[in-house]
Amino acid sequence: MALNLTPPTPFTAEEIVKDIQEFEGLQALRMEGNTIGVEAAQAIAKALETKSELKRCYWSDMFTGRLRPEIPPALNSLGDALMLAGARLTVLDLSDNAFGPDGVRGIEKLLKSTACFTLQELRLNNCGMGIGGGKILAASLIQCHKQSRENNTPLNLKVFVAGRNRLENDGATALAQAFQLMGSLEEVHMPQNGINHAGVTALASAMQQNPGLRILNLNDNTFTEKGAIAMAQALKHLNNIQVINFGDCLVRPEGAKAIAETVSEGLPILKELNLSYGEISADAALAVVQALKNKDKLEKLDLNGNCLGEDGCKAVKDMIEGVNMVDLLGSLSDDEGEPEDDEDEDEEDNDEDDEEEEDVDEEEIEEEEEEEEEEESGSNKLSTPVSAPRPPDVSSFLSFPSPDKLLKLGAKRALLVQQQVDVTDARKTAEAFLKIASVYKEENNDVKNAVLDTIDTLLRKAFSTPSFQGYSFVSILLVLLGLIKSEDKIKPVLVVPGHLYALEHVVRQDYFPKENVAVLEAFMSR
């Protein structure tokens, strides 16, 4: 018996409480799209204290407009009520609440309790957990597994969703330890988490211990060959896998070939394979197609956005036709063409540098921006004893932004960044703005001033360029911030405080058109 309190406009706390109290045999409760504060959560919690049959909590996006400090005590109240009621949850969905590491603390006690011994689905997509939150979550799941096993009711989690959380290597590695213990996972979705090969390798090891895994989605993380090869080895143990999404993961040719070898040797019920945007060469793509020729369950293959070249695309299509798989291959319209050898080597060197930075031991911290600075502290280890570390260039900063990299660009950083960005392109300008703003630190004047000065220089140049479309810039900005939807495949970013501080600054500047301010205010006020 389900109670749906997902409104066209938010319900009042009194309405929610009344509906819960009057609903007999409550098993599922939906509260998405509300704006629940601390006092409202306490009132709702009181009503839930008698609902022992409650099993499924669909509570995504239920703190709309609330300040971040309000969310942990609200979650604590709701969690305490579930425990007091003696509920045994099977589904807990708190996605799209952006509560950060502190929010994970708000559900820590609940996750360790008997209420979650029966949990089968945990959905925490787009919550801004960061490394600190990932570690708290992992420790809670490990404790839940331990206590439930001692109670002869071992945790049997089947679905885990935590995309867009900036878990990075340390957060992913901590969660991998929990996954390895559980061994019951059937779906894992962790796209867009800034995980590099070290974290991917840890996850690969954990996935081997989950033989029932059917769906593995790690889209938009950075495998490189090391991570891809580790994951290919793990897949050899996963014959129940049906969907593999390694799109936008930079698996590269050797990684793709390793995955192809695994596919050819097993994975009998594979339905979907996504290796798009991975810098895969034509010969590697052909190896993938060849490996799939006898997979009669296959429904979709995505190799778009790689480096096949015109001849390579034709060769792939010809082979696809030869094995009667024409309807399964997605578009190749975004193919990047054959890469220059020198560029490949340079990019590989740069990626290895960035990956090594991720491997440096970090202090446990909670704020996402501080974590980025800590990662930079280990960069000296990349240098030989006889040479000093190479200062980061603008492209390195824009690819992997951090406060330290911005400061190291020196006094001319604003001009250097402005020269690097094509200010005639509204989308590129919006993306650059958000990357620069993401490293903003209110408490650090050097970083704060560097960010605002760089943004001012970039946007002043953009808005003074005759061909620059200001309305397009604002529209794309709103799409990237997740405030409006676009027909184009533009992925929203994880919104951090720096984005809001920077926006508050730029709308006050003389270069920013007043008509665009009104548009921004209309959406941001939501």
Side-chain angles (χ1 to χ4, degrees), residues 428-482:
K428 290 179 180 178
T429 306
E431 289 172 343
F433 165 77
L434 292 175
K435 287 178 179 180
I436 299 164
S438 70
V439 305
Y440 179 99
K441 284 183 173 296
E442 179 68 16
E443 71 280 5
N444 186 321
N445 284 331
D446 288 341
V447 174
K448 175 181 175 180
N449 292 334
V451 167
L452 297 181
D453 182 45
T454 304
I455 284 173
D456 284 342
T457 301
L458 174 67
L459 295 188
R460 183 173 281 109
K461 175 67 174 177
F463 282 109
S464 65
T465 301
S467 59
F468 183 71
Q469 297 179 328
Y471 274 114
S472 293
F473 169 79
V474 172
S475 296
I476 292 168
L477 202 57
L478 292 170
V479 171
L480 289 169
L481 291 171

Side-chain angles (χ1 to χ4, degrees), residues 202-241:
L203 288 172
S205 178
M207 292 306 108
Q208 293 184 36
Q209 306 304 317
N210 290 265
L213 193 68
R214 295 182 296 104
I215 299 174
L216 181 56
N217 176 8
L218 295 175
N219 187 281
D220 201 7
N221 290 292
T222 308
F223 284 34
T224 68
E225 290 93 336
K226 291 180 181 179
I229 290 170
M231 198 57 75
Q233 290 299 313
L235 289 171
K236 293 180 179 181
H237 301 266
L238 302 174
N239 277 330
N240 288 307
I241 200 84

